[in-house]
Amino acid sequence: MSDLQNDINDNEIRIISSVDSCFLEDNRNEKRKNLFLTILACLFCLAIIAIAAMAIYFSLRVDSEGPDNLEIVNEKPLSENPTPEAIYERDSIIVQQPPYVEIVDTIVNKERLSLFIPTNSVPRLHIGVDALRDSSAVLVVQAADIRRDNGEIVGAYVSKGNLLSRGQSKSGFCAIINKQLIIGVANATPYLEQAIESDGYFFRQYPLVVGGQVVENQLRFSSLRKALAELDGKTVVIMSHKKMTLNEFSQTLVDLGVSNAIYLVGSTAFGFAIDKDGNRVEFGRQQQRPSRNTNYIIWE
């Protein structure tokens, strides 16, 4: 019987059950559905990842533009290789050149002169030979004359606002007010009162040059000469190497180009200068018994 059921003749037709075909179709549909769901899940995951990435990106971007970070951006550090202008500006604040005296020798009308130009220094007056031991001084020169009879200072003299001497025997003057040095010629000048009121300095001496013109003096004897002068806008101490009268010295200063000048104690009056290399240059001769009122103009 079984053989008959499995045997098919040429003139016979076998009908295949529809149940088998439906099963195969359902199986294919299930696979398509599972594939679709898988793809959909992958796309969903990718979308979630993309949204998360965008959220992180915008979050970081907002933080980087926040006010806390703006302050850091504005604080620009100095470059490792600053411009020359920046170096100059920075160094001008930090580095300060020490005071010194520029010493220049020149010849005017066949007369040799030495110019002492104090640089980066402040002037003041001082009474006493201990000034010669002042380690902060770069230029020390005797200033006002001393009377031979009583050893007192000739003319008005003010030190740190204190009027230590009175008199008007000489019309030339030097005033130091608020660290500024003023040379002039006047029998009466407000700078004397200003020196007293501002704790400044003041002394009298012979006038030599005013406004580029020679001031005639009655002294006719010759001696080594010194002057406190204004030359090309700078304060200069000028010394002769040959004995000259005051008038000869004044004319030499005018020919040099001095605009204003007063006399300083000349002859062998002792002093010193410190040059740019730190060398001490002395001039004159020290007295063994100096007057108690020997006084100096000092730059330090």
Side-chain angles (χ1 to χ4, degrees), residues 11-26:
N11 58 353
E12 290 180 341
I13 298 174
R14 174 177 287 180
I15 299 174
I16 300 174
S17 173
S18 61
V19 175
D20 294 337
S21 62
C22 290
F23 174 79
L24 294 175
E25 184 64 26
D26 290 340

Side-chain angles (χ1 to χ4, degrees), residues 142-148 150-157 165 169-170 203-206 219 221 225-226 246 263-267 269 291 293-296:
Q142 284 192 37
D145 287 323
I146 305 297
R147 292 173 60 108
R148 291 185 178 181
N150 59 12
E152 297 298 325
I153 297 175
V154 178
Y157 192 95
S165 176
S169 61
K170 303 171 183 178
F203 73 93
R204 288 277 186 182
Q205 261 295 357
Y206 292 109
L219 296 178
F221 68 91
R225 302 299 183 183
K226 296 185 183 73
L246 283 183
Y263 189 60
L264 293 176
V265 180
S267 185
S291 169
N293 284 319
T294 301
N295 61 94
Y296 302 87

Side-chain angles (χ1 to χ4, degrees), residues 150-252:
N150 59 12
E152 297 298 325
I153 297 175
V154 178
Y157 192 95
V158 178
S159 179
K160 295 182 179 179
N162 298 312
L163 181 61
L164 304 180
S165 176
R166 300 175 183 272
Q168 189 184 313
S169 61
K170 303 171 183 178
S171 60
F173 70 86
C174 169
I176 303 173
I177 299 172
N178 297 325
K179 301 180 180 180
Q180 299 298 315
L181 190 147
I182 304 146
I183 302 170
V185 177
N187 292 327
T189 171
Y191 289 120
L192 175 59
E193 295 298 327
Q194 291 182 28
I196 296 173
E197 294 172 357
S198 63
D199 294 333
Y201 304 87
F202 185 96
F203 73 93
R204 288 277 186 182
Q205 261 295 357
Y206 292 109
L208 297 176
V209 179
V210 175
Q213 301 296 319
V214 172
V215 177
E216 295 289 338
N217 284 282
Q218 299 300 319
L219 296 178
R220 300 300 179 185
F221 68 91
S222 296
S223 180
L224 296 175
R225 302 299 183 183
K226 296 185 183 73
L228 178 62
E230 180 183 344
L231 177 65
D232 297 330
K234 297 180 180 180
T235 300
V236 183
V237 173
I238 303 175
M239 304 182 187
S240 71
H241 289 259
K242 178 183 175 181
K243 292 183 178 181
M244 309 172 71
T245 65
L246 283 183
N247 290 336
E248 290 172 342
F249 188 46
S250 295
Q251 185 61 58
T252 302

Side-chain angles (χ1 to χ4, degrees), residues 104-124:
V104 179
D105 284 339
T106 187
I107 295 178
V108 178
N109 299 335
K110 298 182 180 180
E111 300 295 340
R112 182 185 171 194
L113 301 175
S114 289
L115 280 60
F116 295 78
I117 308 169
T119 305
N120 299 333
S121 56
V122 177
R124 65 178 176 89

Side-chain angles (χ1 to χ4, degrees), residues 24 37 52 68 74 86 106 116 143 156 196 253 259 261 271 298:
L24 294 175
L37 292 177
D68 292 338
N74 289 334
T106 187
F116 295 78
I196 296 173
L253 296 178
S259 54
I298 299 172

